[in-house]
Short mmCIF file of all heavy atoms in Angstrom, two decimals:
data_model
loop_
_atom_site.label_atom_id
_atom_site.label_comp_id
_atom_site.label_asym_id
_atom_site.label_seq_id
_atom_site.Cartn_x
_atom_site.Cartn_y
_atom_site.Cartn_z
N ARG J 1 92.83 45.86 189.17
CA ARG J 1 92.38 46.54 187.92
C ARG J 1 93.40 46.32 186.81
O ARG J 1 93.00 46.19 185.65
CB ARG J 1 92.20 48.04 188.19
CG ARG J 1 91.03 48.36 189.13
CD ARG J 1 90.94 49.79 189.45
NE ARG J 1 90.67 50.60 188.21
CZ ARG J 1 90.77 51.94 188.19
NH1 ARG J 1 91.10 52.63 189.25
NH2 ARG J 1 90.51 52.60 187.05
N MET J 2 94.67 46.24 187.17
CA MET J 2 95.66 45.91 186.08
C MET J 2 95.43 44.54 185.53
O MET J 2 95.50 44.34 184.30
CB MET J 2 97.09 46.00 186.73
CG MET J 2 98.18 45.72 185.74
SD MET J 2 99.74 45.21 186.53
CE MET J 2 99.40 43.51 186.97
N GLN J 3 95.12 43.57 186.43
CA GLN J 3 94.93 42.17 185.95
C GLN J 3 93.67 42.04 185.08
O GLN J 3 93.56 41.25 184.20
CB GLN J 3 94.81 41.26 187.15
CG GLN J 3 96.12 41.07 187.92
CD GLN J 3 95.92 40.16 189.13
OE1 GLN J 3 94.99 40.37 189.89
NE2 GLN J 3 96.83 39.26 189.30
N GLU J 4 92.72 42.97 185.34
CA GLU J 4 91.46 43.01 184.58
C GLU J 4 91.60 43.85 183.30
O GLU J 4 90.63 43.98 182.53
CB GLU J 4 90.28 43.55 185.41
CG GLU J 4 89.97 42.56 186.59
CD GLU J 4 88.97 43.21 187.55
OE1 GLU J 4 88.74 44.45 187.42
OE2 GLU J 4 88.50 42.49 188.44
N GLY J 5 92.83 44.43 183.11
CA GLY J 5 93.01 45.18 181.86
C GLY J 5 92.63 46.60 181.93
O GLY J 5 92.70 47.34 180.93
N GLU J 6 92.23 47.10 183.09
CA GLU J 6 91.74 48.49 183.22
C GLU J 6 92.96 49.48 183.34
O GLU J 6 92.87 50.63 183.00
CB GLU J 6 90.84 48.66 184.39
CG GLU J 6 89.56 47.92 184.30
CD GLU J 6 88.61 48.16 185.47
OE1 GLU J 6 88.72 49.31 186.06
OE2 GLU J 6 87.86 47.25 185.84
N LEU J 7 94.04 49.01 183.93
CA LEU J 7 95.25 49.83 184.08
C LEU J 7 96.42 49.16 183.35
O LEU J 7 96.53 47.99 183.27
CB LEU J 7 95.62 49.95 185.57
CG LEU J 7 94.66 50.69 186.47
CD1 LEU J 7 95.13 50.69 187.93
CD2 LEU J 7 94.42 52.13 185.98
N GLU J 8 97.31 50.03 182.85
CA GLU J 8 98.42 49.54 182.07
C GLU J 8 99.43 48.85 182.99
O GLU J 8 99.74 49.35 184.10
CB GLU J 8 99.12 50.71 181.36
CG GLU J 8 100.25 50.26 180.43
CD GLU J 8 100.85 51.42 179.68
OE1 GLU J 8 100.14 52.38 179.36
OE2 GLU J 8 102.08 51.36 179.44
N ARG J 9 99.89 47.66 182.62
CA ARG J 9 100.79 46.84 183.44
C ARG J 9 102.06 47.62 183.80
O ARG J 9 102.47 47.64 184.96
CB ARG J 9 101.16 45.56 182.68
CG ARG J 9 102.14 44.67 183.40
CD ARG J 9 102.39 43.40 182.64
NE ARG J 9 101.21 42.60 182.61
CZ ARG J 9 100.83 41.75 183.61
NH1 ARG J 9 101.59 41.62 184.68
NH2 ARG J 9 99.70 41.11 183.51
N ARG J 10 102.74 48.22 182.82
CA ARG J 10 103.98 48.89 183.08
C ARG J 10 103.87 50.03 184.07
O ARG J 10 104.63 50.14 185.04
CB ARG J 10 104.60 49.41 181.76
CG ARG J 10 105.96 50.09 181.96
CD ARG J 10 106.57 50.49 180.65
NE ARG J 10 107.81 51.21 180.83
CZ ARG J 10 108.56 51.69 179.86
NH1 ARG J 10 108.16 51.49 178.60
NH2 ARG J 10 109.67 52.33 180.13
N ASN J 11 102.84 50.85 183.90
CA ASN J 11 102.64 51.96 184.85
C ASN J 11 102.38 51.51 186.25
O ASN J 11 102.86 52.05 187.24
CB ASN J 11 101.55 52.86 184.37
CG ASN J 11 101.90 53.66 183.11
OD1 ASN J 11 103.11 53.73 182.77
ND2 ASN J 11 100.93 54.17 182.39
N THR J 12 101.55 50.42 186.37
CA THR J 12 101.24 49.91 187.68
C THR J 12 102.45 49.33 188.37
O THR J 12 102.69 49.58 189.56
CB THR J 12 100.11 48.83 187.60
OG1 THR J 12 99.00 49.42 186.87
CG2 THR J 12 99.64 48.40 188.94
N ARG J 13 103.18 48.57 187.59
CA ARG J 13 104.42 47.95 188.18
C ARG J 13 105.38 49.08 188.60
O ARG J 13 105.99 48.99 189.69
CB ARG J 13 105.07 47.02 187.21
CG ARG J 13 104.39 45.66 187.06
CD ARG J 13 105.24 44.73 186.15
NE ARG J 13 106.60 44.59 186.73
CZ ARG J 13 106.93 43.67 187.62
NH1 ARG J 13 106.06 42.81 188.09
NH2 ARG J 13 108.17 43.64 188.07
N ASP J 14 105.53 50.06 187.72
CA ASP J 14 106.50 51.14 188.11
C ASP J 14 106.10 51.87 189.35
O ASP J 14 106.96 52.26 190.19
CB ASP J 14 106.56 52.17 186.92
CG ASP J 14 107.37 51.64 185.73
OD1 ASP J 14 108.00 50.57 185.85
OD2 ASP J 14 107.31 52.26 184.66
N ALA J 15 104.78 52.08 189.56
CA ALA J 15 104.32 52.74 190.75
C ALA J 15 104.62 51.91 192.01
O ALA J 15 105.04 52.39 193.04
CB ALA J 15 102.83 53.00 190.65
N LEU J 16 104.43 50.56 191.88
CA LEU J 16 104.71 49.69 193.05
C LEU J 16 106.17 49.56 193.32
O LEU J 16 106.56 49.56 194.49
CB LEU J 16 104.13 48.28 192.77
CG LEU J 16 102.58 48.21 192.81
CD1 LEU J 16 102.11 46.80 192.28
CD2 LEU J 16 102.06 48.45 194.18
N VAL J 17 107.01 49.57 192.28
CA VAL J 17 108.45 49.55 192.50
C VAL J 17 108.88 50.81 193.22
O VAL J 17 109.70 50.76 194.14
CB VAL J 17 109.19 49.46 191.15
CG1 VAL J 17 110.70 49.70 191.32
CG2 VAL J 17 108.96 48.07 190.50
N SER J 18 108.32 51.98 192.87
CA SER J 18 108.69 53.24 193.53
C SER J 18 108.28 53.19 195.04
O SER J 18 109.07 53.61 195.86
CB SER J 18 107.98 54.38 192.85
OG SER J 18 108.44 54.54 191.53
N ILE J 19 107.15 52.62 195.30
CA ILE J 19 106.72 52.52 196.72
C ILE J 19 107.63 51.53 197.45
O ILE J 19 108.03 51.83 198.57
CB ILE J 19 105.24 51.95 196.76
CG1 ILE J 19 104.31 53.06 196.25
CG2 ILE J 19 104.87 51.59 198.21
CD1 ILE J 19 102.86 52.60 196.02
N ALA J 20 107.97 50.46 196.84
CA ALA J 20 108.86 49.43 197.53
C ALA J 20 110.21 49.97 197.76
O ALA J 20 110.86 49.64 198.79
CB ALA J 20 108.89 48.17 196.62
N MET J 21 110.70 50.81 196.86
CA MET J 21 112.11 51.27 197.00
C MET J 21 112.25 52.50 197.95
O MET J 21 113.35 52.83 198.34
CB MET J 21 112.71 51.59 195.66
CG MET J 21 113.02 50.39 194.81
SD MET J 21 113.96 50.84 193.33
CE MET J 21 114.64 49.24 192.87
N ALA J 22 111.17 53.15 198.26
CA ALA J 22 111.27 54.36 199.05
C ALA J 22 111.47 54.02 200.55
O ALA J 22 110.52 53.57 201.19
CB ALA J 22 109.98 55.19 198.85
N HIS J 23 112.65 54.24 201.08
CA HIS J 23 112.93 53.83 202.47
C HIS J 23 112.07 54.56 203.48
O HIS J 23 111.84 54.10 204.58
CB HIS J 23 114.42 54.11 202.75
CG HIS J 23 115.35 53.35 201.91
ND1 HIS J 23 116.71 53.57 201.86
CD2 HIS J 23 115.16 52.26 201.12
CE1 HIS J 23 117.27 52.70 201.02
NE2 HIS J 23 116.37 51.89 200.58
N ALA J 24 111.55 55.74 203.09
CA ALA J 24 110.71 56.55 204.05
C ALA J 24 109.35 55.92 204.24
O ALA J 24 108.64 56.26 205.21
CB ALA J 24 110.62 57.99 203.53
N ASN J 25 108.96 55.05 203.33
CA ASN J 25 107.60 54.46 203.46
C ASN J 25 107.54 53.43 204.55
O ASN J 25 108.55 52.84 204.95
CB ASN J 25 107.18 53.78 202.12
CG ASN J 25 106.82 54.76 201.07
OD1 ASN J 25 106.46 55.92 201.39
ND2 ASN J 25 106.86 54.35 199.80
N ASP J 26 106.34 53.14 205.05
CA ASP J 26 106.15 52.13 206.09
C ASP J 26 106.66 50.75 205.59
O ASP J 26 106.47 50.36 204.47
CB ASP J 26 104.67 52.06 206.40
CG ASP J 26 104.36 50.96 207.46
OD1 ASP J 26 104.57 51.25 208.64
OD2 ASP J 26 104.00 49.85 207.06
N GLU J 27 107.34 50.08 206.47
CA GLU J 27 107.96 48.83 206.08
C GLU J 27 106.92 47.79 205.58
O GLU J 27 107.16 47.14 204.54
CB GLU J 27 108.72 48.21 207.31
CG GLU J 27 109.59 47.04 207.03
CD GLU J 27 110.37 46.58 208.24
OE1 GLU J 27 109.72 45.99 209.13
OE2 GLU J 27 111.58 46.84 208.34
N GLN J 28 105.81 47.66 206.25
CA GLN J 28 104.82 46.68 205.82
C GLN J 28 104.19 47.08 204.47
O GLN J 28 103.85 46.24 203.67
CB GLN J 28 103.74 46.54 206.87
CG GLN J 28 104.24 45.90 208.19
CD GLN J 28 104.92 44.57 207.91
OE1 GLN J 28 104.39 43.74 207.17
NE2 GLN J 28 106.08 44.36 208.49
N LEU J 29 104.07 48.35 204.25
CA LEU J 29 103.58 48.86 202.94
C LEU J 29 104.57 48.45 201.84
O LEU J 29 104.16 47.97 200.79
CB LEU J 29 103.44 50.38 202.98
CG LEU J 29 102.94 51.03 201.70
CD1 LEU J 29 101.45 50.70 201.52
CD2 LEU J 29 103.13 52.56 201.77
N ARG J 30 105.81 48.56 202.08
CA ARG J 30 106.85 48.22 201.12
C ARG J 30 106.84 46.71 200.88
O ARG J 30 106.96 46.25 199.69
CB ARG J 30 108.24 48.69 201.59
CG ARG J 30 108.34 50.20 201.75
CD ARG J 30 109.66 50.63 202.37
NE ARG J 30 110.72 50.31 201.47
CZ ARG J 30 111.97 49.96 201.82
NH1 ARG J 30 112.27 49.84 203.05
NH2 ARG J 30 112.92 49.72 200.92
N VAL J 31 106.70 45.93 201.86
CA VAL J 31 106.70 44.47 201.73
C VAL J 31 105.48 44.09 200.90
O VAL J 31 105.57 43.22 200.02
CB VAL J 31 106.65 43.74 203.10
CG1 VAL J 31 106.32 42.28 202.98
CG2 VAL J 31 107.95 43.92 203.82
N GLU J 32 104.31 44.72 201.17
CA GLU J 32 103.09 44.36 200.39
C GLU J 32 103.23 44.74 198.94
O GLU J 32 102.77 44.01 198.05
CB GLU J 32 101.84 45.05 201.00
CG GLU J 32 100.58 44.63 200.37
CD GLU J 32 100.27 43.11 200.48
OE1 GLU J 32 100.83 42.51 201.41
OE2 GLU J 32 99.49 42.60 199.65
N ALA J 33 103.93 45.86 198.68
CA ALA J 33 104.17 46.24 197.25
C ALA J 33 105.02 45.15 196.57
O ALA J 33 104.76 44.81 195.41
CB ALA J 33 104.86 47.59 197.22
N LEU J 34 106.02 44.61 197.30
CA LEU J 34 106.84 43.57 196.73
C LEU J 34 106.05 42.30 196.51
O LEU J 34 106.24 41.56 195.52
CB LEU J 34 108.07 43.32 197.65
CG LEU J 34 109.10 44.42 197.71
CD1 LEU J 34 110.09 44.16 198.83
CD2 LEU J 34 109.86 44.49 196.36
N ARG J 35 105.13 41.95 197.44
CA ARG J 35 104.36 40.72 197.34
C ARG J 35 103.51 40.81 196.05
O ARG J 35 103.45 39.82 195.27
CB ARG J 35 103.41 40.60 198.52
CG ARG J 35 104.03 40.19 199.82
CD ARG J 35 102.97 39.89 200.87
NE ARG J 35 103.55 39.82 202.18
CZ ARG J 35 104.21 38.77 202.68
NH1 ARG J 35 104.34 37.67 201.97
NH2 ARG J 35 104.69 38.81 203.89
N LEU J 36 102.90 41.97 195.80
CA LEU J 36 102.10 42.12 194.59
C LEU J 36 102.93 41.99 193.35
O LEU J 36 102.59 41.33 192.42
CB LEU J 36 101.40 43.44 194.63
CG LEU J 36 100.27 43.61 195.69
CD1 LEU J 36 99.84 45.07 195.82
CD2 LEU J 36 99.06 42.74 195.35
N LEU J 37 104.05 42.66 193.33
CA LEU J 37 104.96 42.57 192.20
C LEU J 37 105.40 41.16 191.95
O LEU J 37 105.39 40.68 190.80
CB LEU J 37 106.25 43.43 192.43
CG LEU J 37 106.07 44.98 192.34
CD1 LEU J 37 107.25 45.69 192.90
CD2 LEU J 37 105.85 45.36 190.84
N PHE J 38 105.76 40.44 192.99
CA PHE J 38 106.33 39.07 192.81
C PHE J 38 105.19 38.04 192.57
O PHE J 38 105.48 36.87 192.21
CB PHE J 38 107.09 38.66 194.04
CG PHE J 38 108.35 39.46 194.27
CD1 PHE J 38 109.08 39.33 195.48
CD2 PHE J 38 108.82 40.38 193.33
CE1 PHE J 38 110.24 40.08 195.65
CE2 PHE J 38 109.95 41.12 193.53
CZ PHE J 38 110.68 41.00 194.66
N SER J 39 103.92 38.43 192.67
CA SER J 39 102.81 37.56 192.32
C SER J 39 102.50 37.66 190.82
O SER J 39 101.64 36.92 190.35
CB SER J 39 101.58 37.93 193.12
OG SER J 39 101.04 39.17 192.71
N ASP J 40 103.19 38.51 190.12
CA ASP J 40 102.92 38.70 188.67
C ASP J 40 103.22 37.46 187.92
O ASP J 40 104.32 36.93 187.99
CB ASP J 40 103.75 39.89 188.16
CG ASP J 40 103.26 40.39 186.82
OD1 ASP J 40 102.46 39.69 186.19
OD2 ASP J 40 103.62 41.55 186.46
N GLU J 41 102.21 36.92 187.22
CA GLU J 41 102.39 35.67 186.47
C GLU J 41 102.77 35.89 185.01
O GLU J 41 102.84 34.93 184.23
CB GLU J 41 101.14 34.80 186.56
CG GLU J 41 100.86 34.40 188.01
CD GLU J 41 99.55 33.54 188.10
OE1 GLU J 41 98.87 33.42 187.07
OE2 GLU J 41 99.26 33.08 189.22
N ASP J 42 102.92 37.11 184.61
CA ASP J 42 103.34 37.41 183.23
C ASP J 42 104.67 36.75 182.99
O ASP J 42 105.57 36.76 183.80
CB ASP J 42 103.42 38.90 183.03
CG ASP J 42 103.69 39.31 181.56
OD1 ASP J 42 104.88 39.36 181.20
OD2 ASP J 42 102.72 39.50 180.80
N PRO J 43 104.89 36.15 181.81
CA PRO J 43 106.15 35.47 181.52
C PRO J 43 107.42 36.32 181.67
O PRO J 43 108.45 35.77 182.03
CB PRO J 43 105.97 35.01 180.06
CG PRO J 43 104.51 34.90 179.87
CD PRO J 43 103.92 35.98 180.69
N SER J 44 107.29 37.59 181.44
CA SER J 44 108.47 38.47 181.54
C SER J 44 108.70 39.01 182.97
O SER J 44 109.68 39.68 183.20
CB SER J 44 108.32 39.65 180.56
OG SER J 44 107.19 40.45 180.95
N ALA J 45 107.75 38.72 183.87
CA ALA J 45 107.80 39.37 185.16
C ALA J 45 108.91 38.87 186.06
O ALA J 45 109.51 39.62 186.88
CB ALA J 45 106.48 39.17 185.89
N ASP J 46 109.27 37.58 185.96
CA ASP J 46 110.27 37.01 186.88
C ASP J 46 111.64 37.71 186.68
O ASP J 46 112.29 38.09 187.66
CB ASP J 46 110.43 35.50 186.64
CG ASP J 46 111.20 34.82 187.77
OD1 ASP J 46 110.66 34.88 188.91
OD2 ASP J 46 112.32 34.28 187.56
N GLU J 47 112.02 37.94 185.45
CA GLU J 47 113.31 38.67 185.22
C GLU J 47 113.24 40.07 185.73
O GLU J 47 114.18 40.56 186.37
CB GLU J 47 113.64 38.63 183.72
CG GLU J 47 114.96 39.29 183.41
CD GLU J 47 115.28 39.18 181.96
OE1 GLU J 47 114.60 38.47 181.21
OE2 GLU J 47 116.24 39.90 181.48
N ALA J 48 112.13 40.75 185.52
CA ALA J 48 111.94 42.12 186.03
C ALA J 48 111.97 42.16 187.50
O ALA J 48 112.58 43.05 188.13
CB ALA J 48 110.66 42.72 185.47
#
């Protein structure tokens, strides 16, 4: 939905970063959050 413009990019990324960084979350859940973040093709995403 973020890629389709329905959700704001910054808020979506921030939510995924929070999931990835929370050690209490399931490991595979955290890895998948990172996969999604790292698939971001926005020019500014690589530095973030």
Side-chain angles (χ1 to χ4, degrees):
R1 291 176 63 192
M2 181 201 77
Q3 291 177 316
E4 293 173 349
E6 295 181 31
L7 294 178
E8 185 177 327
R9 175 178 295 276
R10 180 175 178 179
N11 290 344
T12 306
R13 283 187 56 88
D14 286 349
L16 289 172
V17 169
S18 296
I19 291 170
M21 285 190 164
H23 297 168
N25 286 339
D26 179 82
E27 190 176 73
Q28 293 306 313
L29 180 71
R30 298 174 66 211
V31 169
E32 186 60 24
L34 290 170
R35 287 187 196 279
L36 291 168
L37 285 167
F38 294 171
S39 71
D40 196 343
E41 296 180 355
D42 186 270
S44 64
D46 195 62
E47 183 177 348

